[in-house]
Structure formats: structure tokens, C-alpha cells
Amino acid sequence: MKVLIISGTGFIGTNLCESLSKENYVTVISQHRHKFCDEIRNVNYILEDWRDFDYKNLFSKNHFDKIILLGWSDHPRSSNKKIYESFNLNVVTNIKIIDMIFQYSKAEIYFLSSFGALSQIDSSYKNQLISGYSAGKLTIETFLETYSKIFKRKSLSIRLSNPFGRYQDPCGSQGVIAIFIGNAIKKKQIDIFETEGAKKDYIYINKVSEIISRIIAEPQKNFFEVKEVKSGKVFSVLDIAAHINFHISIIDLVPKKLKDLINERTKKLNMIFEKNKDIDEQAFSSEILSTINWIKKIN
């Protein structure tokens, strides 16, 4: 199977490249190289800006079975600062690419959407996280469904929850787990603004790659589908801090008012692990440790 990944050298794209290239012919369009690894064997790289690329020419010379749209430049918080700019950079650009694919390629399209921003399958915007980011993701889903039904072509939106793990930048603006671990290793202050109010689903990147690779390999039944990729493991930032603290002491790096809470949760984790209880907690802790070990290697 021939797979094209658009903007495929970031955190998720790099992991997908590794996974998909084992059994498929993978081409990546990105002006950037992988940040934390060398070029991946059996992957064809087109080092150009995915936003201004000549897709018509590419499709006239190459056949692709599947095309994965990963390109997006912001997140919910940053998108609200410049909503119109975010719309132009992400929504307009992706719709233009989708239009090119439908006109000049026969490939099935897979769009990376967001479970956290669009967690309701009914697509009712009033029930979503209100941001330019979520409005943009929902807009692409709506256009993709419209194109699919008009052209009678198959496409799918993958609503991904919060991934973490290898190749996620600990110095970036997204990924609370990677950022907390990166600060812990460098003995830098860990800022925690949310406590119990916000609990989110977190999924290890290895599982993300496995699930998405499986989704892409499966035949689609309908012209347009939405699928969720999540773990079912829901944690608050205090839970995350406690899991990290279990492996690396971070008590001196967190806000003073939260020290006792995090210590208390860490002790509970220790009891759970000693008694071999709660498989989900143990699995999450193991994934946190793997992420810690990887971030240590790059620092």
C-alpha cells in the first residue's frame, strides 16, 4: 500500500512513519526533518512546505492509496489569540489540499482531528471545547464529509485524545506530560494551573501508531466516518504529577500549595503497585517511565 503523510515529521508523524513504513511504501511531505531521529529507512522524503506544495503535479506522477492529513500549526489556547489567522493557516489550507486530492487523486483521506476538542460524536459545536482550534477541526470534518458524499469517495476523521511518549518535545508548547518530565529532569519549576477540574484521556504514542495503522489498513464501510482513538485512561494534572513523582522526585519543583496533595497521591500509587492492583494505573506508570527514559536520552 502506498501512503502519503502530509506534514509527517512532527511528534505524531514521526511515530506513524516508523509504524507504517514497516509494511507500506511511505512518502512524507514536510519542510522540516525529524527533530529527534534520523531519516527513517524506506520512507521517501519531500522536503518542501506542505502548505504551498504542487499537489496536482505530485498526483499526476504518483499513485497513493491512502493520504493522511496531519498538518496543523496551533492548539486551543494559541488559536484563540489569532482566530482568523489560525483559520487561514489551517482550515483554508487543508480544504485546498482536500480539494486537490478529490480532483487529482483516487486516494482515501484520513484527517487527524481531536477527541479532546471534539469529543461528542454528534458534532454539536455547542457541546465542544470553544476555541478557534476546535471550530477549525470541526469545519474540516464537515467539508470532508461533504466532499466524500458528493464525489462518492471514502474519507475518515480520526479524533485523537492526548498522546504522549517518544519524539514529543519536552520544550514545546503542547504535551503536559513531556513538559513536566522535561522540567523535572532539568530541575526547573513545574507550573500547575489546573487541579481536579480538568481530567483528560491520555494515550501512549505506541498505541496511537498501532491503532491508526490498523484503521488505515481496514476497508471503510461508509463514504465518511469518524473514529475515536483514546485509551479510556482519564487523569488530572495532579495524577500526572504524582506518576512522574513516583519515578523522579518533583516535590521541590511544584507549587507549594500542591506539595501535600502530590505526595499523598504518590503514596497511594506506591500502595497500589505493592499490592499489584489497578492494571490501568500500572500500565500508565510504565508508559510514563518509558517517556522519562527517552527524554533523559535527549537531554
Side-chain angles (χ1 to χ4, degrees):
M1 186 167 65
K2 292 184 177 181
V3 180
L4 173 65
I5 304 178
I6 296 176
S7 186
T9 56
F11 165 47
I12 296 170
T14 300
N15 281 280
L16 272 180
C17 281
E18 286 190 339
S19 176
L20 289 169
S21 62
K22 293 174 183 177
E23 296 182 1
N24 304 284
Y25 299 98
V26 175
T27 297
V28 169
I29 301 174
S30 176
Q31 63 181 323
H32 303 293
R33 298 182 184 275
H34 300 291
K35 187 169 185 178
F36 297 110
C37 71
D38 296 329
E39 290 189 351
I40 298 166
R41 188 178 178 183
N42 298 329
V43 172
N44 175 42
Y45 293 89
I46 301 175
L47 297 174
E48 295 188 35
D49 189 342
W50 64 273
R51 290 186 176 89
D52 297 318
F53 187 71
D54 187 352
Y55 289 97
K56 180 179 178 180
N57 183 53
L58 175 69
F59 297 147
S60 69
K61 297 176 180 178
N62 298 273
H63 163 77
F64 297 102
D65 300 294
K66 315 277 182 169
I67 297 177
I68 306 173
L69 301 174
L70 297 184
W72 208 271
S73 66
D74 58 19
H75 49 76
R77 292 189 309 279
S78 64
S79 69
N80 286 351
K81 295 176 182 178
K82 296 181 178 180
I83 297 177
Y84 183 70
E85 182 178 318
S86 172
F87 184 88
N88 270 328
L89 280 174
N90 298 297
V91 180
V92 173
T93 302
N94 271 289
I95 290 174
K96 285 180 179 178
I97 294 171
I98 287 168
D99 186 74
M100 287 287 207
I101 296 170
F102 275 96
Q103 286 194 63
Y104 303 111
S105 171
K106 295 182 179 180
E108 294 180 359
I109 303 176
Y110 296 79
F111 170 63
L112 191 74
S113 189
S114 169
F115 172 76
L118 300 171
S119 55
Q120 300 295 320
I121 287 295
D122 64 7
S123 297
S124 174
Y125 186 67
K126 65 183 179 181
N127 295 326
Q128 314 305 331
L129 172 66
I130 302 301
S131 67
Y133 175 88
S134 60
K137 292 285 186 178
L138 185 58
T139 300
I140 295 297
E141 287 190 358
T142 303
F143 268 90
L144 197 53
E145 181 176 13
T146 302
Y147 269 84
S148 292
K149 290 183 177 178
I150 289 173
F151 286 89
K152 301 191 182 302
R153 293 263 302 280
K154 294 179 179 178
S155 65
L156 187 145
S157 180
I158 298 171
R159 291 186 177 177
L160 176 63
S161 69
N162 298 276
F164 68 97
R166 185 177 56 168
Y167 303 144
Q168 189 168 33
D169 191 350
C171 300
S173 60
Q174 298 185 72
V176 64
I177 292 176
I179 292 170
F180 279 14
I181 292 172
N183 284 6
I185 291 169
K186 293 181 179 179
K187 304 298 182 184
K188 291 173 60 179
Q189 180 178 338
I190 296 174
D191 297 318
I192 300 177
F193 303 108
E194 299 173 293
T195 52
E196 292 304 304
K199 290 192 174 184
K200 298 178 181 179
D201 183 283
Y202 292 89
I203 183 167
Y204 194 45
I205 192 63
N206 290 21
K207 293 180 180 176
V208 172
S209 297
E210 291 172 8
I211 294 170
I212 293 180
S213 296
R214 187 166 63 247
I215 288 172
I216 289 171
E218 293 172 348
Q220 288 180 230
K221 296 179 181 179
N222 304 307
F223 289 131
F224 176 77
E225 297 178 49
V226 173
K227 289 195 176 181
E228 296 175 348
V229 175
K230 58 182 181 175
S231 68
K233 299 174 187 176
V234 180
F235 298 99
S236 69
V237 289
L238 289 187
D239 295 326
I240 290 167
H243 273 279
I244 295 171
N245 189 54
F246 181 80
H247 299 288
I248 306 176
S249 178
I250 62 170
I251 291 302
D252 294 333
L253 306 174
V254 301
K256 187 176 180 180
K257 63 182 180 180
L258 300 177
K259 290 178 187 288
D260 290 341
L261 283 172
I262 293 172
N263 263 329
E264 186 179 319
R265 286 169 185 259
T266 306
K267 289 177 182 177
K268 287 182 180 179
L269 286 177
N270 192 50
M271 291 176 61
I272 288 171
F273 299 153
E274 282 183 350
K275 295 180 180 180
N276 200 30
K277 292 182 177 180
D278 200 326
I279 295 173
D280 282 346
E281 288 278 4
Q282 292 184 58
F284 186 66
S285 183
S286 177
E287 293 161 353
I288 290 286
L289 180 57
S290 294
T291 307
I292 290 171
N293 290 335
W294 179 77
I295 292 176
K296 281 181 176 179
K297 288 180 181 178
I298 65 170
N299 278 280

